[in-house]
Amino acid sequence: MSTIDSSVLNNYIGMATFTNGQNGPRGTSSAGGGGSWYEAMSRAWGQTLDGQAAKITQMSDAISAGSDQPSDMVQLTAASLKMQFMSNNAATSQNSVGQALETLGKRN
């Protein structure tokens, strides 16, 4: 992930922590768009993936418009592979957190 993508993810998780921290009710939302930190993580991943998809679409449109240089094709391929990597990481992190929450739920 790039620095910008990481900051988006960190911002959402930070806002959820701030909203639902020690003094705030868990699972409630506030004017900051809070919700649970799990929802914040999901929104952050969604925005990050949307941003990467937009880059891929823009690059694809440029190639369709005639900018079909080999370097453009390589950049599009790299952006697509980055999207695949990010998507796999998003699914893995959400599954891992979901399993951890399920385990915690069973203990209580």
Side-chain angles (χ1 to χ4, degrees):
M1 249 195 284
S2 70
T3 305
I4 294 170
D5 298 334
S6 296
S7 68
V8 169
L9 183 62
N10 290 336
N11 183 39
Y12 274 106
I13 292 172
M15 285 301 295
T17 301
F18 178 74
T19 301
N20 299 318
Q22 293 176 337
N23 297 326
R26 296 182 65 190
T28 61
S29 60
S30 70
S36 71
W37 62 268
Y38 186 73
E39 290 175 66
M41 181 182 73
S42 297
R43 281 192 302 276
W45 271 120
Q47 283 191 345
T48 301
L49 292 172
D50 285 349
Q52 185 64 21
K55 289 178 189 176
I56 291 169
T57 301
Q58 183 181 25
M59 294 168 97
S60 179
D61 289 346
I63 289 171
S64 294
S67 177
D68 57 354
Q69 298 295 317
S71 61
D72 295 334
M73 302 298 282
V74 170
Q75 287 179 353
L76 176 60
T77 301
S80 297
L81 290 172
K82 181 178 178 181
M83 177 71 170
Q84 179 184 5
F85 177 77
M86 291 165 57
S87 180
N88 287 339
N89 281 320
T92 300
S93 67
Q94 291 210 300
N95 288 339
S96 296
V97 171
Q99 288 173 354
L101 291 173
E102 180 181 4
T103 300
L104 286 172
K106 288 179 182 178
R107 289 185 182 174
N108 291 328

